[in-house]
């Protein structure tokens, strides 16, 4: 296993992070489509990941209505100190007007609720699961700063923020001398590279860690589906079309990835993960699994070294179109440097 620095902190996390959306929710839509795993399966998957050197596990308070955190907490009994444990807050967790968002009321209540469900006294990385257009960033950041000072949280991060929102939050933290975001969790895959326009330059410039969710585009990049037929009934993508994907682009990328996979004797999924791990800004790729063989295949991506020509072909196949002002910045860039006489 490879370990990478989490942003500009002194902490290191495995380049493969175990995601837990498959844990729990066997009778609750849409979680049964994502996994619905109970404790024996969860314990086996967590154990296999730890044996492979994974020291980073990501969950959220909302996954299966809190059941994911509960199952993970049970699976980590006696092994809690082996992992960097991450969870999230934002989603609605009750019917009340204050049971959602990033107010001091909701965040403080959910930190304590997550600690109880996880069976731990601290959360290593506490992430804002989305952007709250109601709560001022000063209120949320002060609350998170208090949680860090109280020892309940070690680091803070965000997920699904736009670049301008992250920049604003970093500015507020610096101005008010509050705890700084150290990571961004975002959707990124060979078939979904929108974040390269604005988010990636900000992440790189600010020295934030990039944690990738849905690296296989909701299972589409597993290679099981074809242009003419979706994946077999019962698979995640067949039941839950998330995240949205440009299917033609996805299959263009798969057409390039498939012969590369055959050349290395591996799955298309492993190629997709190896491509992400080759991207300079990526800190950790979050993988979820319903079966041990799926997990084993994903874990093996750390050992797949793609050739330069293979990476170039994959880069070209899934390259996002140039957007303004990016294309004009690119045209101006070379003229900024002295030209040879």
């Amino acid at each position: 296993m490879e370990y990478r620095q989490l942003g500009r902190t002194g902490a290191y996390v495995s380049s493969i992070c175990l995601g837990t959306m498959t844990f729990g929710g066997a009778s609750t839509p849409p979680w049964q489509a994502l996994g619905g795993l109970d404790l024996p399966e969860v314990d086996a998957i967590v154990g296999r990941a730890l044996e492979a050197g994974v020291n980073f596990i990501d969950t959220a308070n909302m996954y299966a209505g809190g059941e994911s955190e509960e199952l993970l907490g049970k699976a980590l009994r006696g092994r809690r100190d082996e992992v960097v444990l991450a969870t999230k807050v934002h989603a609605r967790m009750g019917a009340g007007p204050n049971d959602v968002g990033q107010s001091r009321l909701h965040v403080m209540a959910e930190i304590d609720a997550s600690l109880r469900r996880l069976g731990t006294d601290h959360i290593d990385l506490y992430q804002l699961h989305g952007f709250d257009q109601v709560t001022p960033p000063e209120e949320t950041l002060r609350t998170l700063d208090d949680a860090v000072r109280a020892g309940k949280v070690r680091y803070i991060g965000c997920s699904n923020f736009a670049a301008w929102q992250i920049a604003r939050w970093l500015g507020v933290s610096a101005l008010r001398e509050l705890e700084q975001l150290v990571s961004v969790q975002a959707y990124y895959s060979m078939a979904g590279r929108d974040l390269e326009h604005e988010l990636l330059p900000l992440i790189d410039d600010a020295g934030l860690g990039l944690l990738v969710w849905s690296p296989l585009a909701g299972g589409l990049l597993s290679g099981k589906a074809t242009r003419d037929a979706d994946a077999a009934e019962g698979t995640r993508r067949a039941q839950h079309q998330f995240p949205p994907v440009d299917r033609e682009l996805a299959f263009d990328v798969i057409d390039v990835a498939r012969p590369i996979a055959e050349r290395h004797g591996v799955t298309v999924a492993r190629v997709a993960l190896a491509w992400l791990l080759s991207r300079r800004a990526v800190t950790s790729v979050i993988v979820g699994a319903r079966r041990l063989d799926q997990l084993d295949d994903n874990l093996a991506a750390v050992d797949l070294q793609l050739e330069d020509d293979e990476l170039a072909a994959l880069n070209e196949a899934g390259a996002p179109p140039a957007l303004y002002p990016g294309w004009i910045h690119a045209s101006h860039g070379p003229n900024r440097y002295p030209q040879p006489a």
Side-chain angles (χ1 to χ4, degrees):
M1 182 57 64
E2 178 189 11
Y3 301 92
R4 300 180 179 183
Q5 188 176 3
L6 180 62
R8 289 179 175 164
T9 76
Y12 281 78
V13 295
S14 49
S15 58
I16 297 289
C17 173
L18 179 63
T20 64
M21 284 186 72
T22 59
F23 296 3
S27 60
T28 309
W31 304 104
Q32 79 276 32
L34 301 175
L37 303 184
D38 209 344
L39 185 57
E41 295 88 354
V42 168
D43 195 59
I45 285 175
V46 169
R48 183 69 61 88
L50 295 182
E51 289 169 7
V54 170
N55 79 332
F56 193 20
I57 301 181
D58 177 75
T59 187
N61 62 344
M62 68 167 290
Y63 292 169
E67 189 180 358
S68 175
E69 286 186 331
E70 291 177 359
L71 291 169
L72 177 59
K74 293 175 181 177
L76 286 176
R77 283 177 183 167
R79 304 185 283 194
R80 168 65 181 92
D81 292 341
E82 298 178 36
V83 303
V84 176
L85 182 58
T87 191
K88 312 181 197 75
V89 63
H90 176 81
R92 178 165 292 282
M93 295 299 290
N98 294 311
D99 293 335
V100 64
Q102 294 162 25
S103 67
R104 176 174 285 268
L105 284 172
H106 185 62
V107 171
M108 290 183 70
E110 284 305 310
I111 287 175
D112 288 341
S114 286
L115 289 173
R116 286 194 301 270
R117 287 190 291 261
L118 290 165
T120 185
D121 63 355
H122 71 280
I123 296 162
D124 297 308
L125 178 63
Y126 199 55
Q127 303 159 105
L128 303 169
H129 208 167
F131 180 73
D132 184 349
Q133 61 269 51
V134 175
T135 309
E138 290 86 350
E139 178 178 340
T140 305
L141 283 166
R142 179 69 68 185
T143 304
L144 295 174
D145 189 80
D146 289 345
V148 171
R149 292 174 183 272
K152 294 182 177 182
V153 171
R154 299 294 188 255
Y155 301 110
I156 64 171
C158 67
S159 179
N160 305 318
F161 276 38
W164 72 264
Q165 294 163 348
I166 297 171
R168 182 185 179 195
W169 280 59
L170 292 173
V172 169
S173 290
L175 180 65
R176 305 298 184 195
E177 297 185 340
L178 300 172
E179 194 71 20
Q180 290 267 0
L181 300 171
V182 304
S183 63
V184 176
Q185 189 173 139
Y187 167 56
Y188 193 21
S189 77
M190 292 196 304
R193 294 167 56 179
D194 293 347
L195 90 169
E196 293 180 9
H197 293 301
E198 297 287 345
L199 274 169
L200 203 56
L202 172 67
I203 288 167
D204 191 42
D205 182 68
L208 300 171
L210 174 56
L211 316 177
V212 176
W213 63 261
S214 202
L216 300 181
L220 189 59
L221 296 180
S222 67
K224 297 174 183 176
T226 67
R227 291 181 189 272
D228 300 322
D230 283 332
E233 184 177 352
T235 61
R236 170 182 169 182
R237 190 78 200 178
Q239 299 179 62
H240 191 53
Q241 296 289 320
F242 183 82
V245 175
D246 180 334
R247 286 178 58 85
E248 285 304 309
L249 173 64
F251 285 112
D252 286 345
V253 173
I254 291 171
D255 287 344
V256 174
R258 200 178 300 279
I260 294 174
E262 292 172 354
R263 192 177 310 139
H264 288 272
V266 301
T267 61
V268 171
R270 202 181 303 184
V271 170
L273 295 175
W275 177 83
L276 277 169
L277 291 171
S278 76
R279 308 300 282 177
R280 182 170 56 87
V282 171
T283 303
S284 191
V285 176
I286 303 169
V287 302
R290 289 191 283 184
R291 305 189 313 269
L292 288 176
D293 62 299
Q294 291 175 329
L295 178 61
D296 289 339
D297 187 67
N298 290 343
L299 291 170
V302 298
D303 298 319
L304 176 58
Q305 297 296 316
L306 299 174
E307 302 293 335
D308 289 344
D309 62 324
E310 294 170 337
L311 289 171
L314 293 169
N315 291 341
E316 181 179 357
L323 298 179
Y324 178 83
W327 54 262
I328 202 165
H329 290 170
S331 69
H332 286 173
N335 294 327
R336 178 61 183 84
Y337 301 98
Q339 301 300 310

